[in-house]
Amino acid sequence: SQTIHQWPATLVQPVGSPLSLECTVEGTSNPNLYWYRQAAGRGLQLLFYSVGIGQISSEVPQNLSASRPQDRQFILSSKKLLLSDSGFYLCAWRILGGRKGYEQYFGPGTRLTVT
Amino acid sequence: GENVEQHPSTLSVQEGDSAVIKCTYSDSASNYFPWYKQELGKRPQLIIDIRSNVGEKKDQRIAVTLNKTAKHFSLHITETQPEDSAVYFCAASRSDGGFKTIFGAGTRLFVKA
C-alpha cells in the first residue's frame, strides 16, 4: 500500500534563515504531488503542485519554491523565511486512473514556527 | 480564480442530532468533490467524496449531495456523536491541469454530549 512521509515533523527557525521540507511517497509511481500550507485555525492553501519530475506549478507568489528531483520526492524550500511563513505544511499525493483515481491523501505534516 | 465557499464556519449540535455543512464552488469545470475531517493537530482525512455524475452518495451516517446546476454541495451527518467533533473541509477539483483541489475555509463542528 501507499504511504507518504514528511520530515521534519516540527521545526523552529529564525526569520531570515533557509528552509527545506521533504516529502516522499512509497508504494506508487508517477503520482501528482502537492504542497499546502495551513495557518493556525485556518483553511488549506495550495502552494505548489507537480505532475512529474521537474514539473512544478506555483499557485501563490511568495518567497517559497518547490522542486521534484525524483518521481516520489517533493521538496519545499525558502532562501529567507518570513514570520508569515509559520504554519502547518502538508504534502499530498494522488494517483490518476483506477477506481480510486480521484482521491487525494495527505502526509503527516510539518509544523513550522518562524521566530 | 477558483473559489470554494463553506458555511457555517462553526456549528454546534447536541449528540444525536444531525449536522449539515454547505459549500458552493465557482469553477463550472469542477468534477470531483471530496470532504475531509481534521482533528486537532492532525492531517486532514478523506471521509467521503462525490463525482459530478452522481447526485448523492451515502456511507453509514454521512452523506453528500451535489447540485451541479446550482454549483453547490452539502455534507450531512446523522446521529452525531462526540467523536464527530472536528473541523470539516469541503473541496472542489477538476481532473485536468494537474488535478488541483481548492478547499473551503472549514467548519468547526462541536457535538455536545
Side-chain angles (χ1 to χ4, degrees):
Chain A
S1 64
Q2 300 90 355
T3 55
I4 181 169
H5 303 280
Q6 283 187 250
W7 62 90
T10 306
L11 190 60
V12 180
Q13 291 283 100
V15 168
S17 63
L19 173 73
S20 181
L21 303 181
E22 189 165 342
C23 167
T24 59
V25 182
E26 294 179 356
T28 188
S29 60
N30 199 31
N32 279 14
L33 296 172
Y34 307 85
W35 278 112
Y36 289 87
R37 176 170 60 200
Q38 186 175 33
R42 305 293 295 274
L44 296 153
Q45 181 187 32
L46 178 63
L47 302 175
F48 301 94
Y49 67 93
S50 172
V51 300
I53 296 173
Q55 300 179 62
I56 308 294
S57 296
S58 174
E59 286 297 293
V60 183
Q62 56 209 322
N63 68 322
L64 299 172
S65 63
S67 62
R68 185 170 177 176
Q70 300 180 44
D71 181 43
R72 290 169 288 177
Q73 183 185 30
F74 204 21
I75 297 172
L76 183 70
S77 304
S78 174
K79 292 182 179 178
K80 287 187 176 182
L81 284 169
L82 307 171
L83 283 174
S84 57
D85 291 324
S86 294
F88 192 34
Y89 286 81
L90 291 154
C91 181
W93 68 274
R94 67 164 27 104
I95 288 293
L96 303 183
R99 188 174 65 87
K100 293 195 170 187
Y102 283 32
E103 296 175 4
Q104 178 177 284
Y105 297 96
F106 286 92
T110 294
R111 196 164 300 280
L112 171 67
T113 303
V114 182
T115 59
Chain B
E2 307 96 332
N3 186 49
V4 176
E5 293 192 3
Q6 182 171 347
H7 300 280
S9 57
T10 305
L11 180 60
S12 183
V13 299
Q14 204 67 35
E15 182 178 3
D17 288 351
S18 295
V20 180
I21 302 170
K22 298 183 178 183
C23 291
T24 59
Y25 61 97
S26 60
D27 186 354
S28 57
S30 297
N31 58 356
Y32 173 66
F33 306 89
W35 287 86
Y36 287 82
K37 175 183 180 183
Q38 186 177 31
E39 296 176 341
L40 190 62
K42 297 188 177 180
R43 77 184 88 180
Q45 298 276 8
L46 179 67
I47 57 171
I48 195 167
D49 56 12
I50 191 167
R51 299 194 188 188
S52 58
N53 57 348
V54 176
E56 185 173 357
K57 183 178 177 180
K58 189 174 182 180
D59 182 5
Q60 300 182 348
R61 296 187 297 108
I62 58 175
V64 291
T65 59
L66 171 65
N67 183 327
K68 279 215 75 177
T69 303
K71 291 195 282 189
H72 66 70
F73 56 114
S74 302
L75 177 71
H76 303 251
I77 306 174
T78 58
E79 300 172 25
T80 53
Q81 302 167 1
E83 51 265 38
D84 294 330
S85 296
V87 178
Y88 291 80
F89 292 98
C90 65
S93 303
R94 51 186 295 169
S95 56
D96 62 356
F99 211 142
K100 296 186 299 182
T101 300
I102 305 301
F103 285 80
T107 295
R108 188 171 297 275
L109 174 65
F110 296 96
V111 180
K112 295 176 286 187

